[in-house]
Amino acid sequence: MKSTDYSRTVEVFKGSPWEAELVKGLLENNGIATIIKDGLMSTIAPYIAPDVTILVSEETYEDAMEIIRERDKGKDEK
């Protein structure tokens, strides 16, 4: 099993905590490991929580962005 190097991560999404969870689930269902940044603050004080950021390894960046673009394209068509 190949281990993922998380020392070099890049941002692929930034938004509300609930939407970040949806994106995280979508990416992980497609085999892309993710890290949530600032997620703890949304748990402690959701009414003042900053945007939550989803990070992925540099190796999976292009695949993650393609999945997110497809998701956004589907939203626009509705």
Side-chain angles (χ1 to χ4, degrees):
M1 174 182 243
K2 182 180 172 186
S3 64
T4 305
D5 179 12
Y6 288 109
S7 64
R8 302 199 48 120
T9 58
V10 289
E11 179 181 314
V12 293
F13 178 82
K14 187 171 191 172
S16 67
W18 66 267
E19 193 170 17
E21 285 294 334
L22 292 174
V23 171
K24 177 183 184 293
L26 179 63
L27 293 174
E28 290 182 347
N29 284 339
N30 283 281
I32 298 175
T34 63
I35 298 172
I36 291 188
K37 181 181 171 191
D38 300 325
L40 182 60
M41 186 62 177
S42 67
T43 303
I44 296 170
Y47 47 88
I48 61 167
D51 286 340
V52 175
T53 303
I54 302 289
L55 305 170
V56 299
S57 70
E58 284 183 336
E59 299 164 349
T60 60
Y61 174 78
E62 288 300 325
D63 292 335
M65 289 307 298
E66 181 62 29
I67 291 167
I68 291 170
R69 280 191 289 270
E70 286 296 317
R71 171 191 172 269
D72 291 343
K73 187 169 79 173
K75 279 184 2 184
D76 294 339
E77 293 175 358
K78 291 185 178 183

